[in-house]
Amino acid sequence: MMLAEAEHLGDRRMIRLLTCPECGVITFAGAIHRIDMRFCSGKCRSRAYRRRAARRALAV
């Protein structure tokens, strides 16, 4: 299922699986990448980790 089709059908779960949660780039997990990949790159994965760590530090 492509992103445009998921948007047309309103399939939020598939849209979430097809886009990077950090930058919004389409990822196409499962094609040449791991099927369970969430981020488009290590850069976005690190950025998300640093953001979560900063929130935890502020919560304490």
Side-chain angles (χ1 to χ4, degrees), residues 8-54:
H8 176 69
L9 295 174
D11 189 355
R12 291 182 184 271
R13 182 176 174 270
M14 186 56 67
I15 293 169
R16 195 169 54 243
L17 288 173
L18 291 173
T19 56
C20 174
E22 190 62 31
C23 67
V25 169
I26 300 171
T27 58
F28 294 112
I32 56 173
H33 302 286
R34 290 177 54 125
I35 198 149
D36 62 344
M37 94 182 239
R38 290 184 52 207
F39 300 99
C40 64
S41 66
K43 183 178 177 180
C44 281
R45 188 173 54 248
S46 295
R47 188 182 307 148
Y49 172 77
R50 287 192 299 268
R51 187 173 294 178
R52 287 191 310 269

